[in-house]
Amino acid sequence: MGLDQLSERYAEHNRSERGAGFVFARPEREALFRRYVGGPGRRVLDLGCRDGALTQAYLEGNEVIGVDADRDALAEAARRGIETHWADLDQPLDFPAASFDVVVAGELLEHLRDPRRVVGEVRRVLRPGGTFVASVPNAYRLKGRLLFLFGRPPENDPTHLQMFSATDVRALLGAFEDAQLHFVAGRLVPLHPRLFANDIVFAGRKPR
């Protein structure tokens, strides 16, 4: 699929399923992403930034480049003051090695054909000691397990190509130090995070 076709697909999906400015689990994810991005003065690469609605949480005082396949969404991100880059994130990143302090990938990896390759690219473009912070749906939450048990797909988003458990996330962070996982979005999360959280926010640091 060419980049123009990919852009059209995601533009239609974002309009019909989410709407402009939508951020899943906004309060929890904003707080965690802001904490891990830090700043001011950080150079940040935001992969899958969409229209920049979440990016705003860590934009002030930092230099942020947002990357997405949805050209329409990027136009809105640019209006929010974000430098934008149109790209297919299943392709190698068009940035030099060791050029960012932080790389963000919020609700992105589940949409990609080869998440491990993309995480390898993240590590390449991060400076030593730089931070990778991301989030993915918790595909193995209780609701998903029950749907599967009754013969129904645990995910109904046609753009999702991958499903992640906490174990999968830790594997993705294998080349990073100080791995941190946070289970968010769900009233019953305190009872059993892995079973009741709808989302996993995670972070790690590139070794110096």
Side-chain angles (χ1 to χ4, degrees), residues 108-123:
L108 168 72
L109 298 175
E110 66 273 16
H111 297 272
L112 302 180
R113 294 191 299 271
D114 190 353
R116 289 182 179 275
R117 187 202 61 76
V118 176
V119 172
E121 280 288 279
V122 167
R123 193 171 184 274

Side-chain angles (χ1 to χ4, degrees), residues 56-165:
Q56 291 181 112
Y58 40 87
L59 177 61
E60 186 176 358
N62 293 317
E63 177 191 353
V64 182
I65 298 176
V67 185
D68 205 280
D70 182 346
R71 182 182 269 170
D72 292 345
L74 285 179
E76 180 59 32
R79 284 190 284 272
R80 297 179 192 271
I82 300 163
E83 181 182 343
T84 62
H85 185 82
W86 185 44
D88 178 355
L89 287 165
D90 267 310
Q91 301 301 317
L93 298 176
D94 189 21
F95 299 100
S99 54
F100 292 94
D101 300 300
V102 183
V103 177
V104 176
E107 308 299 287
L108 168 72
L109 298 175
E110 66 273 16
H111 297 272
L112 302 180
R113 294 191 299 271
D114 190 353
R116 289 182 179 275
R117 187 202 61 76
V118 176
V119 172
E121 280 288 279
V122 167
R123 193 171 184 274
R124 179 183 68 81
V125 301
L126 273 174
R127 292 168 178 155
T131 299
F132 174 40
V133 55
S135 63
V136 293
N138 179 21
Y140 294 88
R141 61 193 182 276
L142 183 60
K143 179 181 177 181
R145 296 183 190 200
L146 291 174
L147 287 170
F148 186 81
L149 182 64
F150 288 103
R152 297 172 59 189
E155 293 283 352
N156 59 7
D157 188 330
T159 66
H160 284 190
L161 305 180
Q162 313 290 337
M163 295 194 301
F164 293 96
S165 67

Side-chain angles (χ1 to χ4, degrees), residues 1-94:
M1 183 183 295
L3 186 51
D4 283 305
Q5 291 174 299
L6 195 63
S7 178
E8 291 174 9
R9 182 186 186 198
Y10 275 99
E12 175 59 30
H13 173 73
N14 288 333
R15 282 193 299 267
S16 62
E17 297 295 328
R18 298 182 175 184
F22 174 80
V23 177
F24 179 73
R26 181 188 290 266
E28 294 164 296
R29 291 178 63 226
E30 279 187 342
L32 286 166
F33 277 56
R34 188 184 297 116
R35 181 208 304 178
Y36 283 113
V37 170
R42 297 294 184 92
R43 189 162 193 258
V44 183
L45 181 63
D46 193 339
L47 303 178
C49 70
R50 198 168 164 253
D51 62 6
L54 179 61
T55 314
Q56 291 181 112
Y58 40 87
L59 177 61
E60 186 176 358
N62 293 317
E63 177 191 353
V64 182
I65 298 176
V67 185
D68 205 280
D70 182 346
R71 182 182 269 170
D72 292 345
L74 285 179
E76 180 59 32
R79 284 190 284 272
R80 297 179 192 271
I82 300 163
E83 181 182 343
T84 62
H85 185 82
W86 185 44
D88 178 355
L89 287 165
D90 267 310
Q91 301 301 317
L93 298 176
D94 189 21

